[in-house]
Amino acid sequence: MPLPYKVVLLGDSSVGKTSLVHRFIADAFNPHLANTIGAAFISKDYTHNERTVKFEIWDTAGQERYKSLTPMYYRNALVALVCFDLGVPEASFERAKYWIEQLLTLGPADIKIRVVGNKMDLELEEAGLLLLIEEFCRERQLAVLKTSAKRGEGVGELFDSIVLEIPQAEFDSYSLEQAQEGQTDDALLLNLRNRRTGCC
Amino acid sequence: MISDDKPLGRPPMLQSKKSTHSFLSSTAGLNPASFLGTDATTAVTLASSDQAEIAIFEEGLGLAKTTLSRSSRSVSPQPSFMVLPPQLALDPLPFVELLHDFVNTSIAKTDDTYKGSKPFNILTETEEDIDESYLEEKVHISKKGEGFTAKLKQFFILSSAGKPIYSMNGDDDVLLGYSGLITTIVASFEDGTDLLFRSISQNGFRMVVMNKSPLILVAISRVSYELMLDLKLLESQLSSVYNYLLAVLSAPVITKSFHNRMNYDLRRVLSAQDLKTLDILTSMLTFGFSDTTDDENKSYTVDPSMFISSLLDDAVQCARLSSTLRAKLDDIFVSCKRLKVNLPQSEATPFLQGKLYTLETTKLLASDLLFAFLIYDNKIVSHLHPKTHCLENKDISTLLLMLSQLSPAGESKNVQEEPDLWFPICLARFNDSGFLHCYVRHLHLPNLSRPLTLLLLSGNKNSFFEMKQSANYIFAKICKSKTLSSSLPEELAQGYLPLTSVLKTPQVKHFIYKRRKANQYIMDPLTFSKDTFENIVDSMFILYLYTALSSSKSEEVRVGASMKKLTYTRWHLKEGFTGFLLADEKYELYCLCKGFVTSLVLIEQSLRIVNWCENYRKRLFIGPGVQF
Ligand SMILES: Nc1nc2c(ncn2[C@@H]2O[C@H](COP(=O)(O)OP(=O)(O)O)[C@@H](O)[C@H]2O)c(=O)[nH]1
Ligand SMILES: [Mg+2]
């Protein structure tokens, strides 16, 4: 099994989180995707630059009322994609800000946060607001990326860069772990146990 | 549920002149303008029949004489009773003749005269034509202020202080006035008394109120078929709406929201998706269809089953499946519950402290699993529950409603690309103050147009990966079993074969059979034509006929120890329709026929259906499901 790598998507509802995941998984855009309730989990083996990782992605619904459940999804995540809508940046970034602050204060210490402006195809001309957003992120040393799930722009690059940023040491120690586990295979253990207790 | 699964055989029931292909489609061919008769419904009353001495067949005793007699309890025009043998399954024939005589005497006394050709509007029982613009004006949900009062149905969720939280139609400007008025009426009625305000009914208008402080739920109906019944139907609809609210919020959240300020806007906690689901729910509950239009395409989902479920006291629909297959699926559920997995060494817990202690190295994988369902096309295929707890049908219906909102419209056949879903849900009749966590995954079986859906309800919000592993196990078991993997898709697809053709009951065009104890029903599959407008009118027509049938006065007949209820009704609409209801403490059978079918034929065919359904009840119904 390739190196598991947990990613969580956060952000206001309907900024395009599910569409981003769908673009990444199926390389397609489906305008009829069902609304997310709670959260959706999906995994995909992905290879870039001869490195293969098993992405385990939590796509959350962003519903206000289930806020208290969200830590469960980012608790073990290595990367958080905090998304907002470039079509309505002002409204949707408010919520993104909330998640960024929460991750910085309550999230896992080593979680990498990426701020994703989706719906690039709907981006407004006036860049003033975006400058403010970029400044907010720069102050916190966070990268801002732009994507369009609809046109498929920036999505591959986003996940490629995640793979590239993983330190080589993590791949090395993981394959070592795998090799050791091979020796104490589950089935073997069970057999041993049964023999020792004398049953069946 | 409407299916695009091709029936495997060609049903011999297709007799429409317009070459449409089912009972329904042929009513679609029936232009509302051509409905005939103003006094469209003729309920045949049996109460007027005379006392008669009749011979009946008693099981094991041969021919015995019994007297057809009215019960002393009955006050005219209350039902009359007669005594019949307890076992009709053996030889229904004497019973058929007997019932026929019974019905026949009374039919002769009813006014069967033809009332001339006038259009008949099933929604209002007037002569107004139903066309697309009529539906637009009176039926389709609209959030505009103008045209608000033209709608035939309204649903409101208000705060006790009179603030609108949800309305099926209208905008805030219109609603504020209405909400204030309604809450004032309710409050001034209830003030200083122990009484709860329930309803106002007058001339084709009914308002039903459900006071669930700090919320007030209101339904207002001018829909003819909803007014045929007592308050129960609208009250059941309101409790479905309330049950959905509880499902997403839970009771304490609602109470807390209002605790400090009575005017707290609950709308802030409800998402746009919730409001959309409420629109779908209210429209389905009333008219048997819902608007699923998005930015690009106008589209409607037609499905009378939600209305029928509330008509039948919240009965739920089961998928037809041979009992061997169902038992295999049940076994998989039970074995999943017993499945042990090894604990990772770090999690192994010493369970006996002291000098001698052993490490517990295994655990039950699905220890948090409380309820499980396999669902196909909104029908229950298999169900697991604890010995000590059962889910009420209202909760199951809410679960199915949530499920229908989670399924993607565009079908992705690639299982690899479908996510696992995990969401909190409060099943209010089970526990209205806590959330269960629901795991959902679809299994695409070969040769089936719809996925088989697995629902696992867990009491632990952190048990997603355990539920995912349990689902892996369950799906692997299904796919590995030779019998299941080959027969399951085949049998589920056969569920779309019209039963009336299997049963050779050519006069009965559609029927619903409900078993009372389990409160579950099956209904003959409905096939709709492609035209949306016609489908909507057809679906409402079905609702009209079934509601009219169940609200017609029924007669009671004693057969041995059991009381049988029967209703025979004719409708002078177009070429005419006949309805027949037969019920006892075990079952309820509702039949619809095209044209005027004699009671002899109907009784004979109904009994055939009843016998068949009872014989195959294990195949048709899941009963309480399997326990652990
Ligand atoms: N124009 C445009 N629309 C998008 C894009 N991504 C998503 N959408 C649309 O935005 C809406 C919400 O998308 P969804 O993925 O469900 O958002 P989520 O609630 O954040 O998961 C849907 O109608 C999508 O079709 C995009 O890149 N461009
Ligand atoms: Mg989503």
Side-chain angles (χ1 to χ4, degrees), chain A residues 17-18 34-36 59-61:
Chain A
K17 296 180 295 300
T18 306
N35 266 296
T36 319
D59 169 22
T60 62

Side-chain angles (χ1 to χ4, degrees), chain B residues 1 309 314-322 326 329-330 333 371-385 391-400 403 452-453 455 488 492 496 518-522 617-626:
Chain B
M1 193 68 192
S309 170
D314 293 327
V316 291
Q317 233 177 327
C318 304
R320 271 148 65 188
L321 198 67
S322 64
R326 187 122 49 206
L329 292 173
D330 289 350
F333 271 159
F371 303 99
F373 289 90
L374 272 174
I375 305 286
Y376 184 71
D377 190 17
N378 259 334
K379 302 181 189 79
I380 306 173
V381 180
S382 177
H383 171 44
L384 171 86
H385 65 94
L391 286 180
E392 278 185 41
N393 282 354
K394 207 64 163 189
D395 281 344
I396 296 177
S397 304
T398 301
L399 200 56
L400 292 178
L403 192 67
L452 189 64
T453 306
L455 296 185
L488 192 58
L492 288 174
Y496 294 94
N519 203 11
Q520 292 165 349
Y521 75 101
I522 53 147
R617 63 179 182 277
K618 286 215 170 117
R619 169 186 294 257
L620 302 176
F621 301 96
I622 66 155
V626 59

Side-chain angles (χ1 to χ4, degrees), chain B residues 443-456:
Chain B
L443 175 64
H444 294 271
L445 292 164
N447 310 319
L448 266 190
S449 64
R450 294 156 199 282
L452 189 64
T453 306
L454 175 67
L455 296 185
L456 300 176

Side-chain angles (χ1 to χ4, degrees), chain A residues 10-17 20 83-86 92 118-119:
Chain A
L10 300 167
D12 206 356
S13 64
S14 82
V15 299
K17 296 180 295 300
L20 271 177
C83 308
F84 67 100
D85 182 341
L86 287 168
S92 62
N118 185 42
K119 306 198 191 178

Side-chain angles (χ1 to χ4, degrees), chain B residues 51-286:
Chain B
Q51 268 199 18
E53 203 172 67
I54 39 171
I56 52 157
F57 189 81
E58 269 185 20
E59 192 199 354
L61 293 173
L63 218 54
K65 276 202 167 183
T66 314
T67 305
L68 171 76
S69 61
R70 289 188 195 175
S71 151
S72 52
R73 277 189 291 135
S74 79
V75 185
S76 189
Q78 284 282 304
S80 47
F81 304 102
M82 69 178 169
V83 183
L84 285 175
Q87 232 340 329
L88 6 142
L90 294 179
D91 182 8
L93 214 72
F95 183 57
V96 171
E97 281 169 6
L98 202 137
L99 285 184
H100 175 245
D101 286 348
F102 196 41
V103 169
N104 225 19
T105 27
S106 23
I107 287 174
K109 290 173 189 164
T110 62
D111 179 21
D112 247 3
T113 43
Y114 197 65
K115 290 284 167 50
S117 68
K118 280 178 196 152
F120 180 73
N121 183 323
I122 46 166
L123 289 168
T124 54
E125 292 186 317
T126 60
E127 289 169 19
E128 208 173 340
D129 212 1
I130 297 182
D131 56 15
E132 278 175 73
S133 67
Y134 180 90
L135 289 186
E136 199 61 54
E137 186 193 340
K138 307 264 188 181
V139 170
H140 287 307
I141 290 180
S142 156
K143 304 294 179 185
K144 289 191 198 119
E146 63 185 286
F148 171 77
T149 50
K151 301 295 178 192
L152 296 176
K153 186 69 178 277
Q154 307 284 4
F155 273 101
F156 306 113
I157 303 172
L158 315 170
S159 72
S160 298
K163 197 166 179 172
I165 291 161
Y166 166 81
S167 172
M168 190 181 184
N169 299 294
D171 60 7
D172 271 1
D173 288 344
V174 181
L175 290 175
L176 274 167
Y178 270 81
S179 319
L181 189 64
I182 290 170
T183 42
T184 307
I185 293 173
V186 172
S188 50
F189 177 86
E190 293 181 355
D191 190 38
T193 72
D194 293 337
L195 301 171
L196 280 182
F197 185 94
R198 267 183 93 193
S199 72
I200 306 176
S201 298
Q202 200 163 29
N203 289 347
F205 170 97
R206 179 174 294 162
M207 176 171 110
V208 174
V209 171
M210 198 166 108
N211 197 339
K212 292 280 179 189
S213 179
L215 298 179
I216 294 180
L217 293 96
V218 184
I220 295 177
S221 181
R222 292 190 286 142
V223 179
S224 70
Y225 52 79
E226 293 192 322
L227 304 179
M228 289 174 186
L229 297 155
D230 55 14
L231 300 180
K232 233 173 54 191
L233 183 79
L234 292 178
E235 284 180 339
S236 158
Q237 294 177 354
L238 285 178
S239 80
S240 295
V241 170
Y242 186 55
N243 203 258
Y244 176 75
L245 268 191
L246 289 173
V248 294
L249 299 176
S250 78
V253 169
I254 295 177
T255 324
K256 244 185 275 161
S257 298
F258 287 96
H259 193 66
N260 300 325
R261 294 176 295 145
M262 279 305 275
N263 274 335
Y264 183 87
D265 195 350
L266 202 60
R267 276 189 282 193
R268 291 216 324 250
V269 219
L270 291 172
S271 66
Q273 173 65 32
D274 296 324
L275 301 179
K276 210 168 105 190
T277 306
L278 284 171
D279 283 350
I280 288 169
L281 176 63
T282 52
S283 179
M284 278 290 186
L285 279 172
T286 309

Side-chain angles (χ1 to χ4, degrees), chain B residues 269-496:
Chain B
V269 219
L270 291 172
S271 66
Q273 173 65 32
D274 296 324
L275 301 179
K276 210 168 105 190
T277 306
L278 284 171
D279 283 350
I280 288 169
L281 176 63
T282 52
S283 179
M284 278 290 186
L285 279 172
T286 309
F287 301 113
F289 80 95
S290 72
D291 188 338
T292 38
T293 302
D294 59 31
D295 308 337
E296 291 137 60
N297 310 299
K298 241 185 172 2
S299 72
Y300 299 95
T301 306
V302 181
D303 180 4
S305 58
M306 221 185 258
F307 181 95
I308 286 171
S309 170
S310 45
L311 187 67
L312 301 179
D313 271 328
D314 293 327
V316 291
Q317 233 177 327
C318 304
R320 271 148 65 188
L321 198 67
S322 64
S323 41
T324 25
L325 288 195
R326 187 122 49 206
K328 275 196 163 33
L329 292 173
D330 289 350
D331 286 349
I332 294 177
F333 271 159
V334 172
S335 67
C336 175
K337 206 42 214 178
R338 297 197 185 122
L339 199 64
K340 281 193 172 174
V341 286
N342 289 329
L343 277 175
Q345 238 129 46
S346 55
E347 278 179 43
T349 45
F351 71 85
L352 219 173
Q353 300 284 353
K355 277 181 195 160
L356 277 169
Y357 76 90
T358 341
L359 279 185
E360 180 65 285
T361 51
T362 62
K363 64 164 184 176
L364 285 170
L365 177 66
S367 54
D368 293 319
L369 177 65
L370 283 173
F371 303 99
F373 289 90
L374 272 174
I375 305 286
Y376 184 71
D377 190 17
N378 259 334
K379 302 181 189 79
I380 306 173
V381 180
S382 177
H383 171 44
L384 171 86
H385 65 94
K387 265 195 197 74
T388 45
H389 291 97
C390 279
L391 286 180
E392 278 185 41
N393 282 354
K394 207 64 163 189
D395 281 344
I396 296 177
S397 304
T398 301
L399 200 56
L400 292 178
L401 173 69
M402 293 280 260
L403 192 67
S404 66
Q405 300 311 297
L406 287 168
S407 307
E411 274 181 49
S412 84
K413 286 255 164 168
N414 193 339
V415 191
Q416 293 284 296
E417 290 167 10
E418 261 185 49
D420 306 282
L421 307 177
W422 183 241
F423 60 90
I425 183 169
C426 165
L427 294 174
R429 301 281 173 98
F430 174 65
N431 172 10
D432 71 359
S433 57
F435 283 94
L436 294 180
H437 294 265
C438 185
Y439 173 93
V440 179
R441 183 148 122 217
H442 303 297
L443 175 64
H444 294 271
L445 292 164
N447 310 319
L448 266 190
S449 64
R450 294 156 199 282
L452 189 64
T453 306
L454 175 67
L455 296 185
L456 300 176
L457 287 151
S458 161
N460 175 356
K461 68 175 181 181
N462 292 315
S463 62
F464 172 82
F465 288 100
E466 284 82 2
M467 293 304 118
K468 186 175 161 65
Q469 263 181 284
S470 305
N472 287 345
Y473 169 83
I474 290 165
F475 282 174
K477 278 277 189 190
I478 292 175
C479 296
K480 265 192 225 148
S481 152
K482 271 217 177 82
T483 347
L484 281 176
S485 58
S486 65
S487 309
L488 192 58
E490 196 180 311
E491 287 199 20
L492 288 174
Q494 270 174 6
Y496 294 94

